Amino acid sequence: MAPITSSLFAISVFAPLGGFLIAGLLGRVLGDNFAKFIAILGMLIAVVFSWCVLGNMLHSGISSTIVPLFDWIHAGSFNVSWYLRMDMLSVSMLTMVTSVSLLVHIYSIGYMSHETMPTYRFFAYLSLFTFSMLMLITSDNLIELFFGWEAVGLSSYLLIGYWYTRPSAVAAAIKAFVVNRIADLFFLIGICVLFILSGSVFYDDIFHKIPELANTQYHLFSYGFQAYEFIALLLFIGAMGKSAQLFLHVWLPDAMEGPTPVSALIHAATMVTAGIFLMARMSPLVEFAPHVKMFIVIMGATTAFFAGTVALAQPDIKKSIAYSTCSQLGYMFVAVGVGAYQVAMFHLTTHAFFKALLFLGAGSVIHALHDEQNMFKMGGLSKKLPATCLLMWIGCLALGGIFPFAGYWSKDAILEAAWMSGSTVGYYAWIMTAITAFLTAFYSWRILFLVFHGKPRDQKIYDHAHESSFVMTLPMCVLATGATIGGFTLAPYYIGKYQLAFWNDSIFNAPTNHIMTLMHHAPYLIAKAPLALGILGIIVAFICYIAAPRIPVIMASGLKGIYQFLLNAWYFDKLYDFIFVRPYIALSKILWKVGDQEIVEGMPVAVARITDRSAKGISWIQNGSFAFYAFTMAIGLVVVLATFLIYH
C-alpha cells in the first residue's frame, strides 16, 4: 500500500506542472479551449489522487514517508537530493490546495469568457501557481521549500500583472514581488544560519540537532541571542512577508489588480498560507523560542485588529475582502504564537473554503456589473443575483464565526487557546481578536447590505446586472458546502479527540505545552464572547446600512480624520513612500545623473576631448614642408649629440 500511496502522492504533486507545460507550450497553437482542458485535467488528476492519498494515510496510519525523486545539488560536500515529504501536514495541505485550485480553474472558464486577449497563458499560470505551492508544502528540506517559496512569488507576479497593459496591474505586481523579496532575505539568512549550526538543510536532521543547540548563542550589538530565538525570528520575518502581516502587508490589497480568480487562489489556498505552513513545519524549532512566540502573538493580534479596522472603510468590494484575509491570517499567527499549531492549520483550512467563496462571489458580482467594484454604486442585487447573494451570505456567516458555519469552530478555538495560554500576550491577543470578531461581522454584513440589499444606487448598472453562468456558480456551491459543514466535520480530527492520531507527529508540541488540552476548558463566557460579538456586529451593520443608512455618512463627515485614516489604511503606503520610496528615487537620480552620466559616461568623453584638443594643438607641426621637417630633424640631432658629449 505504501509504494502505491507514494506514487499517487508524487503524481498529484506534479500533475499541475504537466498542465502548466502543455497548456503554456501548446495553448498558443491549439487554442484557449485546449489550454483550459489540459490545465483542468491536470488539476483533476491532482485532486483525485490527493484525496486517495489522504484516505490511504487515514486508513493505514502512515506517519511520515520520504519519496525520493532525483539528485539535485552537488557542490563539494553539500549534497541535496529532491525528496517529497508525505506526512499528514503536507497531505492535508495538498488536498486543500488542489481542491480549491481546481474549483478556481473551473470558475475561471466563465469569468475569463469575455477576455479579449488569449487566455491560455492565464490557465497555464494558474497551474504553475498551484505547482509552486505544492513544491513548498511537500518539501523535505529548506532548499526545496525555498524553491517553492520563490516560485510562488514568481507566479503571483505573473498573475497579479496578468493585465500587463494596465499600469496599475504592473505596479501592483512589482510591489508584491519587491516587498516579498525584502522578507525573503531574512528567511534566506535564517536558512543559512540553520545550516551552519546543524550542518544540514533536511528537516529530520535539523530537528534531531535541536537539543544540541540549547546553549548556542549569537551576539548582535553586544547582546546575546539564543540560537533558537535568532533563527525562529528570521523565519518568522520571512513568513510575515508571504502572509502579509503588519508592516509587510502593503502588497496584499494592491494584488487585487489581478483577475478575481487569482485573488481567490492567493488568499485562500496558496501564497498567503505559506507563512502559516512554515511555522507549523518548523514547530520543533519554534516551540523552543518563547520570546519569538510572544512576538508572533503580538504581531498576529495587532495585524488582525489593524486589518479589521481598515476593512470598515473600503469602498472596493475586493479590497474589503483582501483586508479580511490579512486579519484572518493574524488570527492564525496568534494560534502559532501560543503553541496551538493545529488550531492555526484548522483555521487555515476552513478559511480556504469561505475566503475562496467570498472572492469568487465578489467576482460573480463584478462580472455581472461589467467590472464595477465600487460597492457604493451597487445595492438591491439580491433580485438580480439570487444565487450569488445566497452563497455570499453563507461565506459571510462562516467568516463572521456564526454557529454552525466553519469559521465558528476554528476562529473561536483560536480565542480560547489565546485565553488559556495564561500569558499577558495571550490576554492581549484575546482582547484584540475579540474586538476584531465584532469588526469582522460588521464589515462582512456591510458588504452584504451595500451590494445585495437596500435600493439600487446606480440604476444603469442595476438594469444590466445578471446572474453568473453555471460554470461559475457550481464551484461556489462546492465551496459553500465546505464553509457550512467543514468546521464541525474537521474539528474532531484537527483539534478534537482524534487529533493525535490524525496529525501523527507531523506537528510538534513541547512536553510542557498543554494548550491543545487546556483550550477545551476555557470559561463559558470567554468561549461564547466571540459569537455574541459577531451577532452584535451584524445588528450594528443592519442599523447602519439598512435601518438608518445616514449614520455612516454622518459619522464619516463628523469623524473625517478617523475615516480618512482608515480609508488610507493607517497611511502605511504614504509613510513608506515618504521614508523609502522617495529617498530611493532621489538617490537613484543622483547616481544616474552624477554617477552614471557625469562620471561613468563622462570620463571616456572627457579623455576623448582632451585627446582631440591635444592633437589639434600639435597638428601645426604636420604642415607638409620638407624644409621644416629637415630643420626639426637637425635640431633633434644637435640635442642628441649635445647630450652625448655632456655625459661622456
Side-chain angles (χ1 to χ4, degrees), residues 313-442:
Q314 299 305 306
D316 188 304
I317 185 172
K318 286 177 65 176
K319 284 194 175 183
S320 293
I321 302 174
Y323 279 110
S324 168
T325 299
C326 186
S327 180
Q328 297 303 306
L329 289 165
Y331 276 94
M332 297 176 209
F333 276 112
V334 168
V336 168
V338 298
Y341 308 97
Q342 296 89 334
V343 179
M345 294 304 300
F346 182 32
H347 193 52
L348 183 152
T349 304
T350 60
H351 177 263
F353 294 137
F354 57 76
K355 189 50 60 69
L357 173 59
L358 288 171
F359 266 112
L360 297 188
S364 180
V365 173
I366 295 167
H367 186 74
L369 303 184
H370 305 286
D371 298 328
E372 181 57 63
Q373 296 181 200
N374 189 340
M375 292 186 289
F376 292 107
K377 294 184 179 181
M378 303 177 190
L381 291 175
S382 60
K383 297 177 182 178
K384 292 279 190 173
L385 291 79
T388 300
C389 176
L390 175 62
L391 294 168
M392 286 284 284
W393 263 84
I394 293 173
C396 287
L397 286 166
L399 175 61
I402 305 302
F403 179 85
F405 294 89
Y408 167 81
W409 304 90
S410 57
K411 187 165 69 174
D412 286 20
I414 294 174
L415 274 81
E416 292 166 10
W419 182 270
M420 294 306 293
S421 67
S423 62
T424 303
V425 294
Y427 295 142
Y428 168 79
W430 187 91
I431 293 170
M432 297 299 283
T433 51
I435 296 171
T436 306
F438 167 81
L439 298 176
T440 301
F442 181 85

Side-chain angles (χ1 to χ4, degrees), residues 482-496:
T484 303
I485 68 173
F488 59 79
T489 302
L490 298 177
Y493 298 95
Y494 277 71
I495 62 172

